[in-house]
Amino acid sequence: MRDFDLPVDIPKKSELMQQQRLWVILLTVLGFFAFILFLLSIQLGVVLSEGARQLPDIRILENYHPNQSTQLFDRDNNLIANIHGDEDRVVVPLAQISPNIQRAVMAIEDNRFYQHNGVDIKGTVRALATNFTGGDVQGGSTITQQLVKNLFLSPERSYGRKIAEAVLALRVERHYKKDKIMEMYLNQVYWGNHAYGIEKAARRYFRVPASELSVAQASLLAGLLKAPEGLSPYVYAKAARQRQLAVIAKMVEHGYITQAQAREARLEKWNLKGQEDKASKYPFFVAHVIQELMSRYGEDVVRRGGLKVYTTLNPVAQEAAEMALIKRVNELPKSSHVSNGALAAIDVNSAEIVALVGGVDFAKSQYNNATQARRAAGSQFKPFVYLTGLRLGLITPESPITDRPIHFSTGSGTWSPKNWDGRYMGAMTVRRALVLSRNTTTVQVGMKVGIDEVIKTARLAGITSPIEPNFASLLGASGIPPLEMATAFATFAREGVRMFPTAIRRVENVAGEALTIEKPIPEQVLNPDSVAQLNSILVDAVEVGTGKAARLPNRPVAGKTGTTDKVRDIWFTGYTPDLVATVWMGNEKYVPLRGVFSSDAVKVWHDFAAAYYEANGKPPTDFRGVTNTRTSGHGVTLVDLNPAEPPHEGAVELRPANPVMPSTLTPSLPAPTQSVTPSTTNGLSVNGASSAGKKAQSGGVAPPPIKSAGAKATPQPSMVSEPATPTPEPKKRLLQRLLPDKKDSSKVEVKPAAKPSASGVPPVPDPG
């Protein structure tokens, strides 16, 4: 029996029922919310599943190549330029990336890279805790997550993007090894200063490959990943330095470097490369190559396809060409109006472009005068006129011809070509006429052979620019780019073998596979004997004629000067048996030049050629059938020439405009008028009635336009002497040397001409 009562309230029945109802309500509410959560989880699963299916297939990385710059190399396989689009990148394997940069990146971006499976939960929690407590703000994305974000996702900040980033990172980790992920990451990310990928960054900031980055350099670059432009060492050096020190501290903390290495890295100077990254050391040559590549492969492949292009550029020749041209142009007074120039040089045997200068200042003008400018060729075109007569058998170098006044009816007036000095030298040989660059004799030969045949000769030699079939074209009124002119004169140097030039030796795609390119094909297009005759004349043009400033010690040089109407352009194309180069000088506004002559262009050629041969040490060789006293002790005797400079040489008066010149000569038609009766009856002269000449001089009605001879026209005995008896040439043709496996490739059905001679030309004043 209890001695006291228990202080316990016994609930009533109504109270128990009320408690039961509350529990039922509570459980019902909880069940409802649980059901809602269940439905939401199902919906979320469906959404995530659908979203996962819409995510990119990471297996495309197996064949993925990031946008890469196209690299250009010279003939010695040294890098000379990079061509890129929006992303300037060069991809390298991990084995060619310094461990220093790999460790620096892991230290500051993802120290547990080799421990996690793509998403570092522990690292994310630690980053959140650090950010919450006010420490240095840290990101929770791993290197793998950053890679997939760069490759597949937009930069937006959202939970959806973060979830997609994590899913893709897990997938990438399942399919690729860690080293491959690190390699892709380092080659993909942006490092500032227009550099994509670690190789480009290392070279742009420090002028070293990625394989040679030091701890100090690596720590600076790794620090840039947080804000490539905001931490630029060029603009924000103090901030970049603080970030670098933070990276070095992390490398010590995680055991990547010792304290001693850290001290050394802190003391090492940056020695940054200049921020401006020059597009190319040889911009005009590179621009020409880019144009060729884009025409073959398209702009997208060239700028983003990572091609390796091995060019024909000879750095010694290129630098000699640039120095020779720029030096001479800059030395001329401003009053000369010479503000620009161009030089194109071709290796004769291979047809490779060894040097190309399109102007004196690429920064001021990117217009490539060497390949794009069609400037009147002037007297440089005369060799094509004379070669036409030689190949048709109508003249030889020793044929007589008369330098005299001549007049031609144009239908609307009379055209009277004049010589540069206003004088007429009377009877002479064809050789002397071309060596002295006489205009009237050139026109006479052109009228004899026919303008169509002259144009055909130019086309066979390699001229592709338009040539108007009129009188003035005989004296070089048509525009021809320097590279094209060099191409044609290279055909002369090869004894009539044409090879269109190239600037590219080999092209490889990003996989290292060689792409198909067109190689120069040797083709015998002109009679080698006729070309040898022309070469003998053009050697004399250098030895004792207008191009004497181009002479090289113990080496034969052939060439032709050129000056155009009002001296708006001055030219010289010179060639040896192994090198041809064309020089043009003038200005973009076609303003007449003052106080300069074609000899100024000759001097540019000489400076270039002398430096070229001094550097490569090539032994001299002779043109076939051409000799002279300076190189072999035979032929022309040289005499000091009058140094006085005349006004100009070979200028062409183009007014009034000439109508189209007929291409066939009808003997019954009246001949062109003339003001002076020729003193010789066997010279190569177009004779006409003296009364017609008087009428033309007095302003009377001129005869109808003359028609010129075609290839099949019968030559008039009074206009040309018969060719000398041909002498067979037993030497092996050049084409056989260029194509040793094609024994019949040099067979050309042509009438052999007389054996050339290099003698008989007296010294003359230099007409510039």
Side-chain angles (χ1 to χ4, degrees):
M1 182 175 178
R2 294 178 298 179
D3 294 333
F4 56 88
D5 294 329
L6 294 174
V8 177
D9 292 332
I10 298 174
K12 297 178 180 180
K13 184 177 180 179
S14 59
E15 293 176 343
L16 291 173
M17 292 181 65
Q18 186 178 2
Q19 291 177 357
Q20 289 175 353
R21 284 195 299 270
L22 290 174
W23 277 107
V24 169
I25 293 172
L26 180 61
L27 291 174
T28 300
V29 172
L30 291 175
F32 175 77
F33 280 108
F35 179 70
I36 295 298
L37 289 174
F38 174 71
L39 292 179
L40 290 175
S41 65
I42 293 176
Q43 181 65 27
L44 180 60
V46 172
V47 172
L48 291 177
S49 177
E50 182 65 24
R53 282 196 296 270
Q54 293 179 357
L55 290 176
D57 186 351
I58 57 93
R59 287 176 295 182
I60 66 175
L61 290 175
E62 295 175 4
N63 297 314
Y64 173 74
H65 298 289
N67 292 342
Q68 294 190 51
S69 304
T70 287
Q71 296 178 291
L72 270 58
F73 302 88
D74 63 22
R75 58 176 288 177
D76 299 323
N77 299 334
N78 296 315
L79 181 68
I80 59 173
N82 289 286
I83 309 168
H84 59 85
D86 298 330
E87 299 180 4
D88 188 4
R89 176 188 289 108
V90 176
V91 174
V92 292
L94 192 64
Q96 295 180 21
I97 300 175
S98 169
N100 291 327
I101 188 64
Q102 299 178 49
R103 294 164 183 163
V105 168
M106 287 190 295
I108 199 65
E109 295 291 330
D110 185 6
N111 181 55
R112 285 171 40 81
F113 174 69
Y114 281 96
Q115 282 76 49
H116 60 66
N117 61 355
V119 178
D120 187 6
I121 302 298
K122 184 182 296 185
T124 301
V125 172
R126 183 176 62 251
L128 290 173
T130 303
N131 296 341
F132 181 76
T133 58
D136 291 338
V137 177
Q138 296 185 7
S141 295
T142 65
I143 285 176
T144 311
Q145 287 175 281
Q146 293 180 48
L147 174 65
V148 298
K149 180 180 68 175
N150 275 278
L151 292 177
F152 302 119
L153 303 175
S154 67
E156 66 172 335
R157 292 177 177 271
S158 66
Y159 289 111
R161 200 266 291 167
K162 292 296 291 185
I163 293 173
E165 180 184 294
V167 172
L168 287 173
L170 292 171
R171 290 181 179 180
V172 168
E173 290 274 351
R174 287 198 299 268
H175 283 81
Y176 296 97
K177 295 181 179 180
K178 289 287 187 178
D179 284 354
K180 184 62 177 178
I181 295 172
M182 177 64 76
E183 177 186 298
M184 289 189 289
Y185 175 79
L186 293 175
N187 280 300
Q188 178 65 32
V189 293
Y190 179 57
W191 303 83
N193 197 20
H194 308 290
Y196 290 81
I198 188 59
E199 179 69 15
K200 180 60 65 175
R203 292 185 180 276
R204 185 153 293 175
Y205 283 99
F206 303 113
R207 296 189 183 89
V208 298
S211 61
E212 298 179 9
L213 287 170
S214 67
V215 172
Q217 293 168 338
S219 59
L220 177 62
L221 292 179
L224 298 178
L225 293 173
K226 180 181 179 180
E229 301 299 345
L231 293 171
S232 169
Y234 298 105
V235 183
Y236 307 105
K238 184 177 180 180
R241 175 62 173 172
Q242 292 175 347
R243 184 65 173 171
Q244 181 195 31
L245 295 177
V247 174
I248 294 173
K250 285 290 184 182
M251 294 181 74
V252 174
E253 177 185 338
H254 297 303
Y256 292 127
I257 59 175
T258 65
Q259 287 289 355
Q261 290 175 308
R263 284 194 297 271
E264 183 179 349
R266 294 188 190 101
L267 294 174
E268 184 177 319
K269 293 183 179 180
W270 288 349
N271 293 324
L272 294 172
K273 178 183 176 181
Q275 189 173 12
E276 292 298 326
D277 187 61
K278 191 176 179 180
S280 167
K281 192 175 181 181
Y282 313 116
F284 287 107
F285 181 91
V286 169
H288 175 66
V289 172
I290 291 175
Q291 186 177 13
E292 281 198 30
L293 292 172
M294 288 185 176
S295 66
R296 297 181 187 183
Y297 308 118
E299 182 175 0
D300 189 66
V301 173
V302 173
R303 294 200 178 277
R304 301 175 178 85
L307 302 178
K308 283 184 169 56
V309 183
Y310 299 91
T311 73
T312 62
L313 181 133
N314 181 326
V316 172
Q318 180 69 28
E319 291 174 12
E322 291 179 357
M323 183 176 296
L325 180 67
I326 296 172
K327 177 176 178 290
R328 287 286 179 181
V329 171
N330 290 340
E331 286 178 347
L332 293 173
K334 290 185 178 180
S335 60
S336 70
H337 298 152
V338 174
S339 60
N340 216 331
L343 189 154
I346 300 173
D347 181 275
V348 170
N349 295 318
S350 64
E352 294 181 347
I353 301 172
V354 297
L356 192 72
V357 186
V360 297
D361 191 341
F362 188 80
K364 290 184 178 179
S365 174
Q366 290 77 52
Y367 187 72
N368 196 331
N369 290 284
T371 61
Q372 297 174 292
R374 287 178 173 169
R375 304 294 293 240
S379 296
Q380 279 209 126
F381 193 77
K382 291 176 181 177
F384 301 101
V385 177
Y386 286 90
L387 179 58
T388 303
L390 294 171
R391 73 175 179 84
L392 295 178
L394 299 180
I395 60 173
T396 71
E398 312 316 320
S399 295
I401 192 171
T402 303
D403 177 24
R404 60 184 179 80
I406 52 177
H407 310 280
F408 297 95
S409 172
T410 66
S412 60
T414 301
W415 181 57
S416 303
K418 299 178 177 61
N419 294 314
W420 64 267
D421 55 2
R423 298 188 300 114
Y424 302 96
M425 302 179 70
M428 61 180 61
T429 63
V430 164
R431 176 187 299 278
R432 180 178 171 85
L434 181 52
V435 167
L436 302 184
S437 197
R438 309 306 285 176
N439 287 341
T440 66
T441 56
T442 304
V443 173
Q444 292 176 63
V445 174
M447 299 300 288
K448 176 64 181 176
V449 301
I451 185 64
D452 287 347
E453 287 294 334
V454 173
I455 294 175
K456 179 181 178 181
T457 298
R459 295 279 180 259
L460 289 173
I463 300 296
T464 58
S465 294
I467 301 175
E468 294 295 328
N470 58 32
F471 295 116
S473 290
L474 297 174
L475 297 178
S478 297
I480 300 173
L483 180 60
E484 204 170 297
M485 187 64 75
T487 299
F489 274 69
T491 301
F492 302 160
R494 296 188 205 98
E495 303 173 15
V497 175
R498 182 183 64 202
M499 296 171 69
F500 288 103
T502 183
I504 300 172
R505 295 179 290 125
R506 178 182 174 87
V507 178
E508 295 178 358
N509 63 17
V510 71
E513 301 166 336
L515 303 182
T516 301
I517 61 173
E518 295 180 2
K519 294 284 189 179
I521 301 174
E523 183 180 4
Q524 186 80 53
V525 294
L526 294 167
N527 180 354
D529 293 316
S530 299
V531 176
Q533 290 179 313
L534 177 68
N535 287 340
S536 75
I537 299 175
L538 296 184
V539 166
D540 285 348
V542 170
E543 291 298 318
V544 294
T546 60
K548 70 179 188 301
R551 292 180 296 186
L552 297 173
N554 302 317
R555 191 179 299 272
V557 177
K560 185 69 188 75
T561 53
T563 308
T564 60
D565 185 34
K566 304 295 184 182
V567 199
R568 291 182 171 91
D569 309 89
I570 52 178
W571 293 80
F572 180 69
T573 297
Y575 60 100
T576 69
D578 56 77
L579 177 71
V580 59
T582 295
V583 177
W584 166 83
M585 298 170 72
N587 58 68
E588 295 83 355
K589 297 181 180 180
Y590 290 84
V591 175
L593 309 181
R594 297 176 57 187
V596 293
F597 314 93
S598 57
S599 57
D600 288 288
V602 179
K603 293 171 184 175
V604 173
W605 188 96
H606 175 272
D607 291 348
F608 160 69
Y612 173 81
Y613 283 115
E614 181 180 0
N616 63 38
K618 283 188 177 181
T621 56
D622 290 326
F623 292 104
R624 181 175 64 88
V626 180
T627 58
N628 62 70
T629 52
R630 288 195 306 112
T631 59
S632 59
H634 300 87
V636 177
T637 300
L638 299 180
V639 180
D640 289 337
L641 306 180
N642 185 348
E645 295 282 9
H648 56 274
E649 167 267 332
V652 183
E653 180 61 52
L654 304 182
R655 294 179 298 276
N658 301 313
V660 173
M661 179 177 172
S663 59
T664 57
L665 174 65
T666 304
S668 60
L669 289 178
T673 60
Q674 60 186 39
S675 59
V676 179
T677 303
S679 59
T680 176
T681 58
N682 63 350
L684 183 56
S685 56
V686 185
N687 297 312
S690 59
S691 60
K694 294 177 181 178
K695 181 177 274 190
Q697 284 186 333
S698 61
V701 178
I706 186 169
K707 295 188 176 182
S708 58
K712 297 181 180 180
T714 303
Q716 302 177 24
S718 62
M719 299 173 68
V720 62
S721 300
E722 292 297 325
T725 304
T727 302
E729 175 54 60
K731 291 188 177 181
K732 186 178 183 181
R733 301 296 187 215
L734 178 62
L735 185 62
Q736 291 176 292
R737 299 198 297 272
L738 294 172
L739 291 173
D741 56 334
K742 297 181 180 180
K743 296 182 179 179
D744 61 344
S745 60
S746 62
K747 294 181 179 178
V748 181
E749 295 297 328
V750 292
K751 179 180 179 182
K755 185 176 181 180
S757 169
S759 60
V761 182
V764 296
D766 178 7

